[in-house]
């Protein structure tokens, strides 16, 4: 019996789930419901004749067959995108400067860039990894075209999603037991710093700023060495640090709204238009 054809939609669903890490996260990327996405994966596995993903309660894992298939799937999707570009107009080219804080880069930027590069391989992207407090003035001055930022006011850019803030500490040092509480914070003006210190003030918890830096790496070093606890976005919590909660004597924290902002100077750039649309398509979701 001849092997069943591998439909492009099934391959697209497979790649989206692998990149997003779950059916729930992948569904909006391919504009499908979670159940429809699951059905496409089942059809793919039926056609292949073997499982391509092991579905655990908290994560997905590629099987050896899935690992082998993934490279082929990516190449097929890339060739398909190139064919569409060739048939429907000249390939997009140009340059885009994109700003993103370190803590958002790995989690949220990777799927955006991967998807964009598949569609627009001729666009050169320059990444500027700095905190929101540095990126926003650069947007205003037209030094960068787009930026993902922690939204500091309601009319800033286009909202994408909310990111929880969390207290973190090194379990072997238990810095959260000290009085006053040693805190590592971002630079003055940082929204994360503002929320962290306001929460401690509201709790009337004595604290001292033991470390002050705009660098995520510096924050992590301060926490891992036992110098302090810190407030980070949940997406960048590394495996070796402990998530601290009210049972550790620390106050609840709000979430921050992440938005994409665009400079006025980039108006009329097709490359910036395309990347802006890709950011919205990939990252914008409810609540």
């Amino acid at each position: 019996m001849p092997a069943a054809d591998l439909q492009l939609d099934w391959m697209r669903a497979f790649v989206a789930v692998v990149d997003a890490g779950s059916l729930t996260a992948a569904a909006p990327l391919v504009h499908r419901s979670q159940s429809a996405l699951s059905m496409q994966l089942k059809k793919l596995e039926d056609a292949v004749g073997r499982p391509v993903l092991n579905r655990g309660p908290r994560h997905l894992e590629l099987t050896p067959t899935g690992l082998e298939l993934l490279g082929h799937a990516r190449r097929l999707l890339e060739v398909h995108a190139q064919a569409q570009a060739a048939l429907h107009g000249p390939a997009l080219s140009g340059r885009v400067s994109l700003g993103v804080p370190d803590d958002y880069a790995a989690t949220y930027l990777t799927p955006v860039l991967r998807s964009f590069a598949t569609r627009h391989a001729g666009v050169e992207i320059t990444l500027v990894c700095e905190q929101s407090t540095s990126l926003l003035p650069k947007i205003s001055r037209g030094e960068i075209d787009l930026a993902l930022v922690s939204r500091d006011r309601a009319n800033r850019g286009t909202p994408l999603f909310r990111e929880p803030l969390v207290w973190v500490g090194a379990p072997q040092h238990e810095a959260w037991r000290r009085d006053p509480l040693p805190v590592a914070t971002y630079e003055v003006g940082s929204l994360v710093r503002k929320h962290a210190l306001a929460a401690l003030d509201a709790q009337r918890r004595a604290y001292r700023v033991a470390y002050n830096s705009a660098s995520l790496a510096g924050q992590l070093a301060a926490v891992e060495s036992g110098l302090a606890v810190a407030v980070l976005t949940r997406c960048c919590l590394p495996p070796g640090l402990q998530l601290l909660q009210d049972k550790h004597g620390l106050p609840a924290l709000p979430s921050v709204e992440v938005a994409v902002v665009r400079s006025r100077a980039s108006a009329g750039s097709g490359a910036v238009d395309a990347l802006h649309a890709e950011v919205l398509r990939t990252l914008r979701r409810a609540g």
Side-chain angles (χ1 to χ4, degrees):
M1 180 181 295
D5 289 338
L6 301 179
Q7 294 187 17
L8 202 62
D9 279 350
W10 303 347
M11 305 290 259
R12 187 175 288 109
F14 171 54
V15 170
V17 170
V18 171
D19 289 347
S22 70
L23 288 169
T24 301
L29 302 183
V30 292
H31 308 288
R32 300 274 184 179
S33 67
Q34 187 173 333
S35 59
L37 201 56
S38 180
M39 182 60 68
Q40 288 185 317
L41 288 177
K42 184 180 184 307
K43 290 178 178 178
L44 176 63
E45 290 181 327
D46 289 344
V48 171
R50 293 186 296 275
V52 296
L53 289 169
N54 288 325
R55 298 168 178 82
R58 289 191 156 189
H59 67 282
L60 298 171
E61 186 178 61
L62 283 165
T63 66
T65 299
L67 187 60
E68 182 179 0
L69 178 63
L70 184 60
H72 297 296
R74 291 197 193 281
R75 286 193 293 274
L76 281 171
L77 293 175
E78 183 176 356
V79 170
H80 179 260
Q82 290 170 350
Q84 285 187 316
L87 292 171
H88 298 292
L92 190 65
S93 62
R95 296 180 179 180
V96 182
S97 54
L98 174 63
V100 60
D102 288 335
D103 45 350
Y104 297 149
T107 302
Y108 298 119
L109 197 58
T110 300
V112 172
L113 294 181
R114 183 184 291 121
S115 179
F116 185 80
T118 299
R119 290 178 171 83
H120 308 293
V123 175
E124 178 184 337
I125 299 176
T126 299
L127 293 180
V128 179
C129 290
E130 297 179 4
Q131 291 301 309
S132 299
T133 49
S134 297
L135 294 174
L136 287 170
K138 290 184 177 182
I139 284 284
S140 298
R141 294 192 296 265
E143 295 173 8
I144 57 177
D145 302 309
L146 292 174
L148 293 182
V149 298
S150 298
R151 205 177 192 202
D152 57 349
R153 61 173 190 254
N155 62 347
R156 177 85 74 182
T158 303
L160 298 171
F161 56 89
R162 300 197 71 87
E163 178 67 28
L165 298 179
V166 294
W167 292 100
V168 298
Q172 68 271 31
H173 295 293
E174 297 189 338
W176 59 88
R177 297 185 183 276
R178 299 177 198 158
D179 187 25
L181 179 73
V183 181
T185 69
Y186 284 108
E187 73 284 5
V188 175
S190 162
L191 197 60
V192 175
R193 175 191 177 111
K194 176 183 175 182
H195 286 316
L197 300 188
L200 290 171
D201 287 337
Q203 190 191 43
R204 297 184 179 179
R205 175 73 184 268
Y207 66 88
R208 65 181 181 88
V209 174
Y211 188 90
N212 190 321
S213 172
S215 164
L216 174 62
Q219 301 288 325
L220 294 176
V223 174
E224 289 166 355
S225 66
L227 180 63
V229 300
V231 171
L232 304 177
T233 51
R234 189 172 63 186
C235 65
C236 70
L237 177 63
L241 296 184
Q242 184 174 356
L243 180 65
L244 306 177
Q245 300 170 318
D246 56 353
K247 66 181 180 181
H248 300 98
L250 292 169
L253 293 165
S255 59
V256 294
E257 192 169 37
V258 180
V260 57
V261 294
R262 178 174 180 169
S263 71
R264 292 182 179 179
S266 70
S269 167
V272 177
D273 289 344
L275 184 55
H276 185 257
E278 187 65 44
V279 169
L280 293 176
R281 188 187 73 84
T282 306
L283 297 182
R284 197 174 196 181
R285 61 181 186 268

